[in-house]
Amino acid sequence: EAGVAQSPRYKIIEKRQSVAFWCNPISGHATLYWYQQILGQGPKLLIQFQNNGVVDDSQLPKDRFSAERLKGVDSTLKIQPAKLEDSAVYLCASSLRTGSNTGELFFGEGSRLTVL
Amino acid sequence: AQSVTQLDSHVSVSEGTPVLLRCNYSSSYSPSLFWYVQHPNKGLQLLLKYTSAATLVKGINGFEAEFKKSETSFHLTKPSAHMSDAAEYFCVVSGSRTGFQKLVFGTGTRLLVSP
Protein backbone atom coordinates (compact mmCIF):
# COMPACT_ATOMS: atom_id res chain seq x y z
CA GLU A 1 0.00 0.00 0.00
CA ALA A 2 1.43 3.37 -0.99
CA GLY A 3 1.99 5.79 1.86
CA VAL A 4 1.34 9.51 2.15
CA ALA A 5 3.28 11.34 -0.53
CA GLN A 6 4.60 14.86 -0.06
CA SER A 7 6.57 17.21 -2.26
CA PRO A 8 8.90 18.92 -2.37
CA ARG A 9 11.02 17.36 0.37
CA TYR A 10 13.13 20.47 0.77
CA LYS A 11 12.58 24.12 -0.11
CA ILE A 12 14.67 27.21 0.55
CA ILE A 13 13.15 30.63 -0.08
CA GLU A 14 13.72 34.26 0.84
CA LYS A 15 11.35 35.95 3.25
CA ARG A 16 8.31 37.50 1.62
CA GLN A 17 8.39 34.91 -1.17
CA SER A 18 5.68 32.31 -1.58
CA VAL A 19 5.81 28.53 -1.43
CA ALA A 20 3.40 25.65 -1.95
CA PHE A 21 3.48 22.12 -0.62
CA TRP A 22 1.55 19.20 -2.04
CA CYS A 23 0.22 16.11 -0.34
CA ASN A 24 -1.40 12.97 -1.68
CA PRO A 25 -2.95 10.88 1.11
CA ILE A 26 -3.41 7.14 1.24
CA SER A 27 -6.13 6.06 -1.14
CA GLY A 28 -9.53 6.01 0.53
CA HIS A 29 -8.55 8.09 3.54
CA ALA A 30 -11.24 10.67 4.16
CA THR A 31 -9.36 12.80 6.66
CA LEU A 32 -6.27 14.84 5.83
CA TYR A 33 -4.15 16.89 8.20
CA TRP A 34 -1.40 19.46 7.82
CA TYR A 35 0.96 19.85 10.75
CA GLN A 36 3.81 22.30 11.32
CA GLN A 37 6.82 21.00 13.22
CA ILE A 38 9.31 23.63 14.28
CA LEU A 39 12.75 22.36 15.29
CA GLY A 40 12.70 21.08 18.85
CA GLN A 41 8.92 21.11 19.12
CA GLY A 42 6.10 18.65 18.60
CA PRO A 43 3.90 18.85 15.53
CA LYS A 44 1.16 21.48 15.69
CA LEU A 45 -2.06 21.04 13.74
CA LEU A 46 -2.60 23.73 11.11
CA ILE A 47 -5.68 22.42 9.35
CA GLN A 48 -7.81 19.29 9.19
CA PHE A 49 -10.02 18.27 6.27
CA GLN A 50 -12.82 15.73 6.21
CA ASN A 51 -13.18 14.92 2.51
CA ASN A 52 -13.08 18.41 0.95
CA GLY A 53 -14.49 20.28 3.94
CA VAL A 54 -12.51 22.01 6.68
CA VAL A 55 -13.03 20.51 10.16
CA ASP A 56 -10.52 22.61 12.09
CA ASP A 57 -8.33 25.51 10.98
CA SER A 58 -8.22 27.35 14.29
CA GLN A 59 -4.41 27.41 14.37
CA LEU A 60 -3.85 28.30 10.72
CA PRO A 61 -2.41 31.85 10.32
CA LYS A 62 -4.97 32.80 7.74
CA ASP A 63 -3.32 36.07 6.81
CA ARG A 64 -0.50 34.15 5.12
CA PHE A 65 -1.38 30.46 5.06
CA SER A 66 -4.02 28.81 2.92
CA ALA A 67 -4.90 25.22 2.16
CA GLU A 68 -7.31 23.45 -0.10
CA ARG A 69 -8.49 19.96 -0.86
CA LEU A 70 -10.78 20.62 -3.75
CA LYS A 71 -11.67 17.09 -4.87
CA GLY A 72 -11.36 15.49 -1.46
CA VAL A 73 -8.15 13.70 -2.40
CA ASP A 74 -4.85 15.56 -2.63
CA SER A 75 -4.18 18.85 -0.91
CA THR A 76 -2.02 21.94 -1.26
CA LEU A 77 -0.71 24.16 1.53
CA LYS A 78 0.46 27.63 0.53
CA ILE A 79 2.40 30.28 2.41
CA GLN A 80 2.40 33.81 1.04
CA PRO A 81 4.34 35.83 2.05
CA ALA A 82 6.73 33.69 4.06
CA LYS A 83 8.35 34.87 7.28
CA LEU A 84 11.50 33.67 8.98
CA GLU A 85 9.46 31.97 11.70
CA ASP A 86 7.77 29.78 9.08
CA SER A 87 10.96 27.72 8.82
CA ALA A 88 9.77 24.26 9.82
CA VAL A 89 8.87 20.83 8.56
CA TYR A 90 5.35 20.64 7.16
CA LEU A 91 3.85 17.24 7.74
CA CYS A 92 0.86 15.84 5.96
CA ALA A 93 -1.09 12.97 7.47
CA SER A 94 -4.20 11.05 6.62
CA SER A 95 -6.57 8.72 8.39
CA LEU A 96 -9.34 6.44 7.29
CA ARG A 97 -12.05 8.40 9.06
CA THR A 98 -12.47 10.86 11.86
CA GLY A 99 -14.70 10.72 14.89
CA SER A 100 -13.45 7.31 15.92
CA ASN A 101 -10.55 8.51 18.06
CA THR A 102 -8.41 5.64 16.87
CA GLY A 103 -5.44 7.98 16.57
CA GLU A 104 -3.90 6.09 13.71
CA LEU A 105 -2.64 8.80 11.48
CA PHE A 106 -0.33 7.93 8.64
CA PHE A 107 2.32 10.57 8.08
CA GLY A 108 4.34 11.55 5.06
CA GLU A 109 8.05 12.24 5.37
CA GLY A 110 7.45 15.98 5.44
CA SER A 111 8.51 19.05 3.51
CA ARG A 112 11.34 20.98 5.12
CA LEU A 113 11.08 24.73 4.58
CA THR A 114 13.94 27.14 5.23
CA VAL A 115 13.17 30.85 5.01
CA LEU A 116 16.22 33.11 4.71
CA ALA B 1 -8.59 21.67 26.55
CA GLN B 2 -6.04 18.93 26.20
CA SER B 3 -2.32 18.84 26.65
CA VAL B 4 0.55 16.48 27.25
CA THR B 5 3.79 17.07 29.09
CA GLN B 6 6.81 14.99 28.26
CA LEU B 7 8.96 15.26 31.32
CA ASP B 8 12.34 14.64 29.67
CA SER B 9 13.64 16.25 26.50
CA HIS B 10 16.48 13.70 26.27
CA VAL B 11 16.93 10.22 27.69
CA SER B 12 20.20 8.31 27.36
CA VAL B 13 20.46 4.56 27.93
CA SER B 14 22.90 1.79 27.16
CA GLU B 15 21.96 -0.97 24.78
CA GLY B 16 20.26 -3.79 26.66
CA THR B 17 19.06 -1.63 29.57
CA PRO B 18 15.43 -0.62 30.24
CA VAL B 19 13.82 2.42 28.66
CA LEU B 20 11.38 4.76 30.43
CA LEU B 21 9.93 7.79 28.65
CA ARG B 22 7.55 9.78 30.82
CA CYS B 23 4.33 11.49 29.79
CA ASN B 24 1.60 13.23 31.78
CA TYR B 25 -1.65 14.33 30.19
CA SER B 26 -4.51 16.71 30.79
CA SER B 27 -7.88 16.29 29.13
CA SER B 28 -11.40 17.58 29.64
CA TYR B 29 -12.81 14.50 27.96
CA SER B 30 -12.20 10.81 28.24
CA PRO B 31 -8.88 10.75 26.44
CA SER B 32 -7.28 8.51 23.92
CA LEU B 33 -3.51 8.43 24.24
CA PHE B 34 -0.80 7.45 21.82
CA TRP B 35 2.92 7.22 21.39
CA TYR B 36 4.46 8.02 18.03
CA VAL B 37 8.09 7.53 17.00
CA GLN B 38 10.04 9.62 14.50
CA HIS B 39 13.32 8.36 13.12
CA PRO B 40 15.62 10.91 11.44
CA ASN B 41 14.26 12.04 8.08
CA LYS B 42 11.35 9.63 8.38
CA GLY B 43 7.66 10.12 8.88
CA LEU B 44 6.00 9.68 12.27
CA GLN B 45 4.88 6.14 13.03
CA LEU B 46 2.32 4.95 15.55
CA LEU B 47 3.90 2.83 18.31
CA LEU B 48 0.83 2.10 20.40
CA LYS B 49 -2.50 3.51 21.49
CA TYR B 50 -4.85 3.51 24.48
CA THR B 51 -8.54 3.93 23.73
CA SER B 52 -10.30 3.00 27.01
CA ALA B 53 -9.82 -0.73 26.79
CA ALA B 54 -6.96 -2.45 28.66
CA THR B 55 -4.82 -0.03 30.64
CA LEU B 56 -1.60 -1.84 29.75
CA VAL B 57 -1.03 -1.41 26.05
CA LYS B 58 1.49 -3.32 23.98
CA GLY B 59 2.92 -1.82 20.83
CA ILE B 60 5.42 -2.58 18.15
CA ASN B 61 9.11 -3.36 18.70
CA GLY B 62 8.61 -4.49 22.30
CA PHE B 63 7.32 -1.17 23.64
CA GLU B 64 4.43 -0.91 26.05
CA ALA B 65 2.68 1.81 28.03
CA GLU B 66 0.39 1.87 31.03
CA PHE B 67 -2.54 4.26 31.38
CA LYS B 68 -2.84 5.46 34.99
CA LYS B 69 -5.86 7.70 35.42
CA SER B 70 -5.10 8.51 39.06
CA GLU B 71 -1.67 9.81 38.09
CA THR B 72 -2.74 11.18 34.68
CA SER B 73 0.24 9.41 33.22
CA PHE B 74 0.99 7.30 30.17
CA HIS B 75 4.67 6.35 30.42
CA LEU B 76 6.36 4.37 27.65
CA THR B 77 8.65 1.48 28.57
CA LYS B 78 10.77 -1.21 26.99
CA PRO B 79 12.66 -3.88 28.93
CA SER B 80 15.80 -3.82 26.81
CA ALA B 81 16.92 -1.01 24.49
CA HIS B 82 18.25 -1.68 21.03
CA MET B 83 20.42 0.64 18.97
CA SER B 84 17.62 0.95 16.44
CA ASP B 85 15.35 2.48 19.12
CA ALA B 86 17.29 5.75 18.95
CA ALA B 87 14.71 8.27 17.74
CA GLU B 88 12.34 11.03 18.83
CA TYR B 89 9.24 9.88 20.70
CA PHE B 90 6.03 11.87 20.98
CA CYS B 91 3.23 11.40 23.47
CA VAL B 92 -0.13 12.40 22.00
CA VAL B 93 -3.58 13.00 23.48
CA SER B 94 -6.83 12.98 21.56
CA GLY B 95 -10.35 13.77 22.55
CA SER B 96 -13.19 15.89 21.36
CA ARG B 97 -16.74 16.69 22.26
CA THR B 98 -17.59 17.32 18.62
CA GLY B 99 -16.60 13.86 17.49
CA PHE B 100 -13.85 15.18 15.25
CA GLN B 101 -10.60 13.79 16.53
CA LYS B 102 -7.92 16.34 17.34
CA LEU B 103 -4.46 15.14 18.26
CA VAL B 104 -2.26 17.27 20.49
CA PHE B 105 1.43 16.36 20.50
CA GLY B 106 3.93 16.73 23.30
CA THR B 107 7.29 18.38 22.70
CA GLY B 108 9.07 15.06 22.24
CA THR B 109 11.74 13.02 24.00
CA ARG B 110 14.92 12.16 22.15
CA LEU B 111 16.12 8.67 23.05
CA LEU B 112 19.85 8.11 22.74
CA VAL B 113 21.15 4.53 22.88
CA SER B 114 24.84 3.89 23.41
CA PRO B 115 26.67 0.61 22.73
Side-chain angles (χ1 to χ4, degrees):
Chain A
E1 172 180 272
V4 176
Q6 291 189 244
S7 67
R9 289 292 312 277
Y10 304 93
K11 189 73 176 180
I12 301 173
I13 61 173
E14 302 276 339
K15 60 183 179 183
R16 291 188 289 274
Q17 287 186 323
S18 63
V19 62
F21 301 112
W22 173 83
C23 172
N24 192 29
I26 293 173
S27 178
H29 280 195
T31 311
L32 185 147
Y33 311 77
W34 282 103
Y35 282 85
Q36 180 192 56
Q37 186 176 17
I38 293 173
L39 187 65
Q41 299 180 19
K44 181 185 81 171
L45 180 68
L46 291 175
I47 189 167
Q48 177 179 344
F49 292 94
Q50 173 75 2
N51 296 310
N52 60 351
V54 175
V55 170
D56 185 345
D57 63 356
S58 57
Q59 296 192 89
L60 186 74
K62 298 180 185 65
D63 58 333
R64 298 182 301 104
F65 286 65
S66 64
E68 60 183 16
R69 193 186 184 199
L70 292 175
K71 297 181 179 178
V73 181
D74 58 345
S75 175
T76 302
L77 175 71
K78 296 180 181 177
I79 307 174
Q80 181 179 14
K83 292 185 174 181
L84 296 177
E85 59 260 37
D86 298 332
S87 295
V89 177
Y90 292 86
L91 298 166
C92 180
S94 69
S95 66
L96 192 57
R97 63 188 183 278
T98 192
S100 64
N101 262 359
T102 63
E104 180 125 38
L105 272 61
F106 294 83
F107 283 84
E109 294 185 338
S111 294
R112 183 179 297 275
L113 173 65
T114 301
V115 182
L116 303 175
Chain B
Q2 304 165 95
S3 65
V4 288
T5 301
Q6 293 186 244
L7 299 165
D8 307 291
S9 59
H10 293 81
V11 169
S12 295
V13 300
S14 298
E15 190 174 22
T17 64
V19 175
L20 170 64
L21 305 184
R22 299 182 294 165
C23 172
N24 288 118
Y25 72 91
S26 174
S27 178
S28 303
Y29 321 108
S30 181
S32 294
L33 292 156
F34 317 91
W35 278 96
Y36 276 79
V37 61
Q38 186 176 36
H39 287 93
N41 297 315
K42 298 289 186 184
L44 286 149
Q45 180 186 19
L46 181 66
L47 264 184
L48 50 79
K49 61 185 178 185
Y50 164 77
T51 54
S52 76
T55 56
L56 182 62
V57 181
K58 295 188 184 298
I60 61 173
N61 300 334
F63 284 93
E64 62 182 38
E66 186 171 8
F67 174 72
K68 292 186 177 180
K69 186 175 181 179
S70 61
E71 298 176 11
T72 61
S73 69
F74 191 58
H75 301 334
L76 181 70
T77 61
K78 183 173 180 178
S80 176
H82 192 273
M83 295 295 291
S84 61
D85 295 328
E88 188 92 18
Y89 292 80
F90 292 94
C91 183
V92 184
V93 64
S94 173
S96 170
R97 59 181 173 84
T98 66
F100 287 107
Q101 175 179 256
K102 181 173 182 175
L103 271 62
V104 176
F105 283 74
T107 51
T109 298
R110 182 166 297 276
L111 178 63
L112 306 169
V113 183
S114 56

